[in-house]
Amino acid sequence: MRRIITAIALLGLSLSVALAPTPASADSSIEVTSATLVARGVAVDITLTVTCQPGLSGATELIVRQRSGDRVAYAGGWAPLSGCTGEPQAVQGRAWAESGGLVLHKGVALISGGFELCGQDVCDYPRFEQTFRITR
């Protein structure tokens, strides 16, 4: 019985170490800095300010959700990041409204997503979620 408890404790400890965020995650920050309607709400151009560990590159998914009456308009897209510098840098992408769905409009929306940033020996997966006002 004692061996089983010890084995379970060691397994739990090893999982907590394996699932702990990498040091790169602590260095990454993402903030939505602008969101502008395109083609009367068919899409939204989004600018993020990203700071991440030098040497990493990748992309992020972009998800926009906005209340429209008693429904929710949805848009999805992506934004590339050619290379992290360790300093804040602008990343621009576009999210397109769901086909057959509602168009987006100026006003408050929830903008979220997750980066996949990788270098030679390390990957970082920072996520973001921010309420932001879409403009024209």
Side-chain angles (χ1 to χ4, degrees):
M1 183 67 167
R2 191 176 259 178
R3 285 184 180 178
I4 293 173
I5 292 172
T6 303
I8 290 171
L10 288 173
L11 178 61
L13 181 61
S14 64
L15 283 175
S16 68
V17 169
L19 297 176
T22 63
S25 296
D27 294 338
S28 299
S29 68
I30 305 158
E31 182 181 0
V32 178
T33 51
S34 74
T36 307
L37 287 178
V38 175
R40 297 176 141 179
V42 172
V44 176
D45 282 343
I46 299 170
T47 302
L48 306 170
T49 297
V50 179
T51 305
C52 48
Q53 183 180 11
L56 299 181
S57 62
T60 186
E61 65 181 329
L62 296 171
I63 300 168
V64 180
R65 291 181 179 90
Q66 184 179 52
R67 187 170 186 85
S68 182
D70 62 346
R71 298 175 59 199
V72 175
Y74 172 85
W78 69 284
L81 177 59
S82 59
C84 298
T85 63
E87 298 295 322
Q89 59 194 51
V91 174
Q92 297 178 333
R94 180 171 282 177
W96 294 269
E98 184 177 40
S99 177
L102 302 171
V103 296
L104 300 158
H105 54 274
K106 70 177 190 171
V108 176
L110 181 63
I111 301 175
S112 61
F115 271 91
E116 181 176 303
L117 300 172
C118 292
Q120 190 170 11
D121 297 326
V122 66
C123 285
D124 189 14
Y125 304 95
R127 298 202 52 78
F128 64 95
E129 183 174 275
Q130 185 177 340
T131 302
F132 197 82
R133 182 168 294 279
I134 297 173
T135 60
R136 287 186 199 247

